[in-house]
Amino acid sequence: MSDPVPPEATRADVWLWRARFFKTRTLAATFIEEGRIRLTRAGHESRIDKPARPLKVGDALVFALGGKLVAVTVLALGERRGPPKEARTLYSPLEISS
């Protein structure tokens, strides 16, 4: 049986955890299952509805966290959940136009 997530992608919950937006994968998965993250890939916008949905480099994510709107572009998938400095290399902030 093949891996459901291609090697050039990673699960959404894993990436959010590695990027240190959530303290645990369980919290990230719950947040995703509530439909609170918008994904833009190749100009197509959708909601991430399952924690196993793959994220790829270049994807844009928008979600509200802690009373703030977070908009980031995925720059790297990461290999582990490293220190905050390493986590910040996985994404770059996006400018949100009104």
Side-chain angles (χ1 to χ4, degrees):
M1 189 156 99
S2 66
D3 190 328
V5 179
E8 66 279 353
T10 192
R11 289 174 54 112
D13 62 336
V14 171
W15 188 86
L16 289 165
W17 174 70
R18 286 178 182 164
R20 291 188 164 262
F21 288 109
F22 296 93
K23 287 186 179 187
T24 67
R25 279 183 60 189
T26 303
L27 287 173
T30 301
F31 194 83
I32 291 167
E33 287 168 347
E34 292 171 354
R36 298 171 62 184
I37 299 181
R38 287 191 327 234
L39 164 70
T40 303
R41 178 183 293 156
H44 178 72
E45 188 175 300
S46 62
R47 289 215 184 267
I48 299 177
D49 57 348
K50 294 182 182 175
R53 292 281 184 237
L55 291 182
K56 298 179 179 181
V57 172
D59 287 351
L61 304 176
V62 178
F63 54 95
L65 188 63
K68 290 185 173 184
L69 191 61
V70 178
V72 296
T73 299
V74 176
L75 296 179
L77 302 178
E79 296 292 320
R80 65 186 186 126
R81 186 174 199 258
K85 186 175 180 181
E86 182 180 317
R88 286 190 294 272
T89 66
L90 301 181
Y91 60 89
S92 70
L94 273 174
E95 292 293 324
I96 299 177
S97 58
S98 303

